[in-house]
Amino acid sequence: MNGAPRIAPAGTRQLEARIPSGPIPEKWDRCKFDSKLVNPANRRKFTVIIVGTGLAGGAAAATLGEAGYHVLSFCIQDSPRRAHSIAAQGGINAAKNYRNDGDSVTRLFYDTVKGGDYRAREANVHRLAEVSVSIIDQCVAQGVPFAREYGGLLDNRSFGGAQVSRTFYARGQTGQQLLLGAYQAMMRQVGAGTVKMFPRYEMLDVVVVDGRARGIIARNLVTGTIERFQADAVLLATGGYGNAYFLSTNAVNSNATAIWRAYKRGALFANPCFTQIHPTCIPVSGDHQSKLTLMSESLRNDGRVWVPHAAGDRRPAAQIPEGERDYYLERRYPAFGNLVPRDVASRAAKAVCDEGRGVGETGLSVYLDFAESIGRLGEDVIRERYGNLFQMYEKITDENPYKAPMRIYPAIHYTMGGLWVDYNLMSTIPGLFVLGEANFSDHGANRLGASALMQGLADGYFVAPATLPNYLAGASLPKVGADHDAFREAEASVTKKIDRLLSVKGRTTPREIHRTLGKLLWDNVGMGRTEPKLNDALARIPHLREEFWATVSVPGSGAEMSQVLEYAGRVADYLELGELIALDALERRESCGGHFREEYQTPDNEALRDDESFTHVAAWEYAGDGALPVRNVEPLAFESVKPSQRSYK
Amino acid sequence: MANMNLTLQVWRQGGSFGDGRMVPYDAADVSPDMSFLEMLDVVNERLIAAGEPPIVFDSDCREGICGMCSLVVNGVPHGPDRGSTVCQLHMRRFKDGDTITIEPWRAAAFPVRRDLVVDRGAFDRLIASGGYVSVNTGSAPDGNAIPIPKDLAEAAMDAAACIGCGACVAACKNASASLFVGAKVSQLALLPQGHPERAARARAMVALMDNLGFGNCSNEAECEAVCPKEISIATIARMRREYIRALVTGAGR
Ligand SMILES: Cc1cc2nc3c(=O)[nH]c(=O)nc-3n(C[C@H](O)[C@H](O)[C@H](O)COP(=O)(O)OP(=O)(O)OC[C@H]3O[C@@H](n4cnc5c(N)ncnc54)[C@H](O)[C@@H]3O)c2cc1C
Ligand code: FES
């Protein structure tokens, strides 16, 4: 690709973050105090649509149902309990300081702002740290069986980017247990009649009436019918967009459609290039691969990462003597060692593989070795801590990690970017709120381990239920019927898109195109980004999109259960979103957190931020198909934590 | 291990397949490193490229935790590996030339919606009837206010590990949901947080189980044998004790 770099039009929109005034520790209290309330007797008159039943959506449905609102809850899976959050393994952070190791709300706040490489909104992060404490209490009361010490009190482990032990866990199934807690609370409301459930539904559009979100269009995935749902507010809790990269640790139904369609209706998309690559995943085994399996970060508590000193050393791990092994994380980052944050660990793994020191058949993996811990603690202790992960590893690879080191490699795992929201979690479409991984709010350019579960539950149990009433009480929300023009128009546009997918009748499967897109994004918009690679991606994605619309095969009709149709619709959206990710990465001419531009690095290969030019959120505004989106900016102010070069040495 | 050629016999239902029948498919050039579902993906890729409707089956996490996948492989829910879901089954478990039958869960309470996809909404209704602790958001005491002995917490976690896949029902000749209900009743009966509602919970969940069309448990233990999380039938015994206790004491009415 030659020619000048593309410049997206700079927006002039004033983004109102609505951060409450006052000192940072008082902002959340002030926000709650200043909020208008909805009288309990009036709450059932308000209908609230919640799309998604992961930690964020499930918790919100339960809490708003308990408060008495009329809640409609949608999810793709056959039961709310199966949302992608179920797969989270390692744990959830909270500033409880039960270990008395110096933790506090302030420290969790500080670690998260620093971990995000100073690209998150301070006030949001502080609130997250504050409510983290109540989350644990709530979950324990629900019967979540967290791990405990012999004295009967809650146990903690350490996660990357922190020097205190503040991660609560339930074996290797923390996400499952937290989600089941939220799901059960939500099902209690289903029983009580406040929440109505719509499983196997896919939201395909937001309906905006007089500038406010007033409903959704969704497809019944069993019958194929397109249905209209009206509400007074819509909450999206639809998860991240990591699956744009084809191979990721996300569940196969995780997708970007809900937030992408909302973007096309006027919600701004913030920092799409802030994607997280997790350092410890099971490496790719072949073309048939449908997803990548994560090996929890908690393993880095007891596992040591290494590669051979010499490039091209093909000996099995056991035959490489201690002196010829390079424990490169311990060497480069003596203070944090194997527990450096994810972006740092992933880049370090890529660097050693680029030097030809990677291991395994493809040379695209590094060792995660438990021999020392097994020697020190015994195999039983390791089995108790990580048994299910070791078993999962063995099932997939046919190798026994108690005997030989695991092989791991980075993979797309999480997306910090997402729909732009103000302090109240409301997007730029009034009445459209965005919760959990689907929003951009708390993790800046890099998320710390065990903080996504914390954020999902914070948003769902505590934040949205406190900020939504203020909107409902203050807005004028006349009744709208399902025959309103806006609903008709939205339904027609959804139907048109489906018909178009069905009518191509080509020979290429949606998966083939998705795989090609994913590989392009991984190679060019992955761990090491450069201007030429980004321009190359921007040149190629439109062609891929054309190829998709000219050759895709979607057999069958729309009036039935059709997974290939669902998937094709999602791939069509990735083909647009992928371009925005690349464009955002191109325009952010600095490195920060998970966004590493090779042109901008320190002499020892760390991310080099440009605070002068980029201490801001890039919030992209849709400008019509074929037009370059507009890049708006929300400046970030750091009043409590002074930005510095992140150091984990 | 070399790649394999296999024959699949797959249950297709709905659309042009009407009320359902077994349909043969060739699965050629299958790598032993593929997962079972990836093998089906590859078969589907060929069908889609040829413009034919692909085989519909449920899956999501593909790592054994969401409980979405639900195939009966050669007559066994989740296939031949013990303690694992069908998404964790790998093709190295099969031999070149094998014929593999693939069917959906079969149970009156789980109607088939399409091909290999069933409706497990009955499990949601069971949880809605009492599988929770009634504690509104924001009203909880400090997490460490009630110490819980480690062994009790571990036993509760063993029961809580249930992924709600429904293999237990599919394996049971009576299509009983006792292992599913037993697991939830046990988890919450073991923990102090679940105690205030334990009698009402046992009553409600057991009564609804009968109403939803699940059969009775006759102690065959087929459920335990196929459970991907190896939940013990001791949870069924606990559920019975909880239920009888509720009846005898009259609690939870
Ligand atoms: C393997 C793995 C392990 C992880 N481990 C940890 C960990 O240990 N600690 C941690 O803090 N974080 C972890 N994470 C991250 C964390 O799990 C996620 O960020 C978090 O669970 C997201 O929750 P959510 O509620 O935002 O969305 P999700 O749980 O992704 O839920 C999305 C919901 O939206 C629904 N949905 C999506 N689109 C539509 C649509 N169009 N129509 C209708 N419904 C829709 C889905 O059906 C689903 O119900 C892990 C992630 C992965 C992939
Ligand atoms: S797909 Fe989630 S358990 Fe099999």
Side-chain angles (χ1 to χ4, degrees), chain A residues 304-604:
Chain A
R304 301 178 69 197
V305 177
W306 66 275
V307 291
H309 268 298
D313 187 341
R314 284 267 162 267
R315 287 174 293 173
Q319 289 172 24
I320 302 179
E322 231 7 77
E324 294 176 40
R325 300 176 174 192
D326 180 13
Y327 295 91
Y328 58 88
L329 290 178
E330 296 168 26
R331 173 173 57 78
R332 284 179 64 182
Y333 307 100
F336 282 70
N338 291 294
L339 283 172
V340 290
R342 293 174 174 177
D343 53 333
V344 177
S346 293
R347 269 199 302 282
K350 177 175 187 289
V352 296
C353 291
D354 288 350
E355 290 162 20
R357 300 198 285 143
V359 300
E361 249 171 63
T362 55
L364 285 179
S365 56
V366 301
Y367 289 127
L368 178 62
D369 198 336
F370 295 88
E372 197 234 18
S373 303
I374 291 175
R376 183 164 39 89
L377 304 164
E379 196 171 309
D380 284 350
V381 173
I382 295 298
R383 190 181 308 276
E384 193 199 317
R385 288 188 189 161
Y386 313 111
N388 68 319
L389 294 169
F390 276 48
Q391 189 195 16
M392 206 190 274
Y393 182 86
E394 184 166 1
K395 273 197 180 128
I396 293 172
T397 61
D398 213 19
E399 293 167 5
N400 178 349
Y402 294 100
K403 300 277 174 273
M406 285 185 179
R407 283 184 308 107
I408 51 156
Y409 197 65
I412 288 282
H413 176 61
Y414 181 87
T415 50
M416 284 74 68
L419 292 185
W420 185 90
V421 287
D422 65 13
Y423 185 78
N424 301 322
L425 302 185
M426 191 161 84
S427 72
T428 45
I429 301 177
L432 181 72
F433 290 73
V434 191
L435 286 64
E437 193 174 338
N439 72 26
F440 89 107
S441 74
D442 295 359
H443 307 293
N446 175 58
R447 172 175 73 78
L448 291 181
S451 288
L453 301 184
M454 170 170 71
Q455 184 223 333
L457 290 181
D459 289 0
Y461 283 135
F462 296 105
V463 182
T467 59
L468 177 69
N470 185 52
Y471 170 76
L472 293 174
S476 142
L477 297 162
K479 268 220 139 4
V480 290
D483 52 356
H484 189 285
D485 279 349
F487 276 89
R488 254 187 255 218
E489 182 274 323
E491 183 181 321
S493 87
V494 162
T495 309
K496 189 167 144 215
K497 183 156 186 176
I498 289 176
D499 290 344
R500 191 169 161 216
L501 287 168
L502 292 166
S503 64
V504 178
K505 296 197 187 301
R507 316 280 292 175
T508 320
T509 67
R511 182 183 297 253
E512 283 174 74
I513 300 206
H514 190 190
R515 191 187 287 120
T516 310
L517 172 71
K519 188 161 182 325
L520 178 60
L521 291 176
W522 176 250
D523 290 342
N524 290 20
V525 201
M527 273 188 283
R529 304 162 174 185
T530 63
E531 186 155 324
K533 284 202 272 185
L534 293 167
N535 277 318
D536 177 53
L538 286 167
R540 280 159 64 188
I541 295 170
H543 291 297
L544 203 54
R545 201 157 57 220
E546 273 168 38
E547 184 187 337
F548 175 84
W549 285 107
T551 68
V552 74
S553 169
V554 183
S557 86
E560 60 187 348
M561 184 179 274
S562 173
Q563 291 168 333
V564 61
L565 175 61
E566 295 163 29
Y567 183 46
R570 295 170 197 165
V571 174
D573 291 340
Y574 296 143
L575 286 163
E576 297 176 1
L577 167 59
E579 198 174 353
L580 189 67
I581 299 175
L583 188 59
D584 186 44
L586 179 68
E587 294 284 342
R588 190 170 279 277
R589 292 181 171 77
E590 64 161 351
S591 294
C592 54
H595 170 64
F596 193 71
R597 284 282 301 263
E598 288 175 10
E599 304 93 322
Y600 309 103
Q601 50 182 308
T602 65
D604 46 359

Side-chain angles (χ1 to χ4, degrees), chain B residues 74-98:
Chain B
N74 290 338
V76 183
H78 289 310
D81 286 353
R82 267 192 98 107
S84 109
T85 53
V86 70
C87 62
Q88 296 178 293
L89 176 62
H90 275 72
M91 295 313 291
R92 58 181 85 92
R93 214 46 179 81
F94 298 89
K95 295 190 308 293
D96 188 40
D98 277 357

Side-chain angles (χ1 to χ4, degrees), chain A residues 107-119:
Chain A
R107 188 176 294 278
L108 175 53
F109 161 64
Y110 175 84
D111 284 350
T112 310
V113 171
K114 174 185 173 196
D117 218 356
Y118 309 97
R119 291 294 175 264

Side-chain angles (χ1 to χ4, degrees), chain A residues 132-148:
Chain A
S132 70
V133 175
S134 315
I135 292 173
I136 300 305
D137 301 340
Q138 185 62 26
C139 297
V140 168
Q142 291 170 341
V144 169
F146 282 119
R148 288 178 182 266

Side-chain angles (χ1 to χ4, degrees), chain B residues 59-62 64-69 85 87:
Chain B
S59 77
D60 201 23
C61 72
R62 297 204 172 188
I65 192 73
C66 74
M68 189 97 177
C69 62
T85 53
C87 62

